Amino acid sequence: TVDSVFAWEALDSRGKPTVACEVVLADGTRGHTSVPSGASTGTHEASELRDGGHRYGGQGVLTAVRNANTVLAQAVRGVDATDQVAIDQALRAADGTENLSALGANAVLAISIGSAIAAASAQGRSLYRSVDDSGQRPLLPLPMVNVLSGGAHAGRAIDVQDFLVVPMAAGSFAEAIEICARVRAGATQVLDERGLPTALVADEGGLGPVLPSNRAALDIMVEGIERAGLQPGADAAIAIDVAATQFHTAENTYVLSAEQGRTLRSAELVDELVSWTEHYPIVSLEDALAEDDWSGWAEATTRLGHCQLLGDDLFVTNPARLQRGIDGWVANAVLVKPNQIGTLTDARTVVTTAQAAGYRTVLSARSGETEDSWLADLAVGWRTGQIKVGSTMRSERTAKWNRLLRIEAELGDQADFAGAAAIAASGV
Ligand code: PGA
Ligand code: ZN
């Protein structure tokens, strides 16, 4: 059972304050965690509590920390840490709001995950084993890795937020990461040769060149794959996170600033994306339309359903929003970010609901991350099949890749690798 909680203010990878905590069990076992934070956040996400005022430009989390140390600690005291549902119910009840805005989703998630980590440790098990009730062999996820960054993560040099590589030909997780690193190096070479800057990296470790259009970025991706000695499509394919909410207007149009303010209606944006998929080996599109453009999304699903259509801001890891998508034939995959909903139990529900409906699942980090690696364990234990963490550099990113590399190295042929099947599987 949980005995106490010790929370404090720490920094995330962008240098912004975040909640860190240790959950201490009655037998003295401790579970340490810290929570991530987004930049291109969805309107419908659970609510982070920020202090306002002068400290850290208003971004401090001392109030959330105090809530974790007092009322939330009180709520979980005496609760069995191996009973995640009971822990998360106690946290939700203490907050009392749907979006956890009273005490802070950042405070709630820190204790939710800290409890899971402490419980695994008390049982002498790895986290990926203690959260897995499938009875199957551990499943290493297929990664999608950020190569070029735009949007809110790179000063909006290009509209599309992420251009990622998907290592289709990889036979193991280690091979997958090597392919992705090779493509990133290839893309760096291509940019260097054109005199474009490659020394600075974006929030998730991607390259952030100023390019004349979104298509120019897709060209760099293809050339980077070729430069790596790989065949575009067969060996390494492209995923994009359009993050369309970021350039959607109140008039329900989409304005591409990388293309001289070219303005598109939903159907025209879908036309544009269809054209990209015809000319480039794109296998996955995330947030192709804005978070509340359900009719645009339905059209995208009809016309682009042969690709993975991934809802991030659309679903915000929220079971009710995912259900609306499933019922309305919208998207065919869900991005899962535990801090969008605030508890492990709710994030887990989203994974199981999606899997039951034939929707693919991609566990995801945030643009503001920490050096924790629990996300890697959740991907294996929840059998999500895919994971998205950012690039192959910056330690807050490699913490997750390195944890997966270690799990695979330790398990050897006792584990399976999801591979390209995870993304190619026909969804709905
Ligand atoms: P965020 O970006 O963490 O800034 O929301 C990640 C994403 O959009 O997938
Ligand atoms: Zn996204």
Side-chain angles (χ1 to χ4, degrees):
T1 62
V2 175
D3 178 64
S4 62
V5 170
F6 170 54
W8 65 97
E9 186 181 67
L11 294 182
D12 73 14
S13 59
R14 267 194 287 254
K16 258 174 73 173
T18 191
V19 179
C21 90
E22 246 182 8
V23 173
V24 185
L25 305 187
D27 69 1
T29 315
R30 289 159 178 267
H32 165 265
T33 191
S34 49
V35 301
S37 174
S40 64
T41 47
T43 311
H44 307 285
E45 292 193 21
S47 178
E48 281 177 347
L49 197 58
R50 300 277 176 190
D51 296 333
H54 295 302
R55 294 182 68 255
Y56 289 109
Q59 300 293 313
V61 293
L62 293 180
T63 320
V65 162
R66 190 176 341 107
N67 293 340
N69 280 327
T70 56
V71 52
L72 289 168
Q74 200 57 44
V76 292
R77 195 187 166 93
V79 180
D80 179 1
T82 63
D83 187 347
Q84 190 71 43
V85 173
I87 292 280
D88 291 338
Q89 267 171 1
L91 293 169
R92 272 206 173 277
D95 181 277
T97 67
E98 191 62 38
N99 65 355
L100 304 175
S101 55
L103 301 174
N106 39 359
V108 168
L109 184 68
I111 298 178
S112 179
I113 297 175
S115 301
I117 292 171
S121 172
Q123 298 169 302
R125 303 165 83 193
S126 290
L127 182 61
Y128 73 86
R129 289 216 190 267
S130 70
V131 300
D132 186 358
D133 49 21
S134 73
Q136 292 177 263
R137 289 153 57 93
L139 183 68
L140 273 296
L142 176 73
M144 54 171 78
V145 169
N146 187 306
V147 175
L148 299 176
S149 296
H153 295 172
R156 298 181 200 279
I158 28 185
D159 304 290
V160 171
Q161 182 177 286
D162 295 335
F163 295 84
L164 309 103
V165 53
V166 183
M168 305 297 279
S172 68
F173 181 77
E175 231 176 271
I177 287 296
E178 197 275 333
I179 288 175
C180 295
R182 219 181 331 155
V183 171
R184 190 190 196 286
T188 307
Q189 256 183 39
V190 172
L191 292 173
D192 271 340
E193 285 166 12
R194 298 194 185 170
L196 291 161
T198 55
L200 303 177
V201 297
D203 285 353
E204 300 195 8
L207 299 155
V210 178
L211 295 170
S213 68
N214 296 293
R215 278 175 197 259
L218 290 165
D219 287 329
I220 304 277
M221 289 297 293
V222 170
E223 285 174 54
I225 292 168
E226 287 168 347
R227 191 61 64 93
L230 299 165
Q231 206 188 331
D235 294 329
I238 300 171
I240 56 175
D241 181 359
V242 183
T245 306
Q246 293 286 317
F247 54 89
H248 180 252
T249 69
E251 291 75 45
N252 200 25
T253 59
Y254 295 87
V255 179
L256 300 178
S257 49
E259 300 180 18
Q260 290 78 47
R262 198 174 139 216
T263 300
L264 306 174
R265 308 195 62 80
S266 302
E268 292 166 334
L269 177 57
V270 175
D271 286 341
E272 181 73 22
L273 297 173
V274 167
S275 163
W276 293 1
T277 62
E278 286 165 355
H279 292 93
Y280 299 95
I282 296 173
V283 292
S284 177
L285 298 97
E286 177 178 334
D287 282 351
L289 281 300
E291 58 193 357
D292 288 315
D293 187 358
W294 289 91
S295 61
W297 258 105
E299 176 161 358
T301 308
T302 306
R303 298 187 54 203
L304 288 161
H306 53 287
C307 293
Q308 170 165 272
L309 291 175
L310 193 46
D312 172 13
D313 292 349
L314 175 71
F315 294 140
V316 287
T317 315
N318 182 307
R321 288 184 70 92
L322 174 62
Q323 194 59 52
R324 178 170 173 188
I326 292 169
D327 294 341
W329 298 79
V330 164
N332 56 31
V334 58
L335 199 77
V336 181
K337 293 168 166 170
N339 88 317
Q340 282 179 326
I341 190 71
T343 68
L344 277 190
T345 301
D346 290 323
R348 180 77 188 261
T349 299
V350 164
V351 171
T352 50
T353 304
Q355 287 171 340
Y359 274 48
R360 286 154 272 194
T361 53
V362 183
L363 199 66
S364 173
R366 298 307 304 246
S367 51
E369 263 298 329
T370 76
E371 53 275 31
D372 279 13
S373 60
W374 46 263
L375 194 80
D377 284 74
L378 296 185
V380 174
W382 290 354
R383 308 179 67 77
T384 60
Q386 295 177 64
I387 188 169
K388 177 190 173 200
V389 163
S391 187
T392 45
M393 54 185 70
R394 292 187 56 140
S395 304
E396 77 280 6
R397 315 286 147 194
T398 54
K400 284 73 165 171
W401 302 137
N402 289 341
R403 173 66 181 149
L404 289 164
L405 288 168
R406 176 180 171 174
I407 293 172
E408 186 175 71
E410 281 178 352
L411 293 178
D413 58 12
Q414 302 300 303
D416 296 319
F417 170 57
I423 203 164
S426 69
V428 284

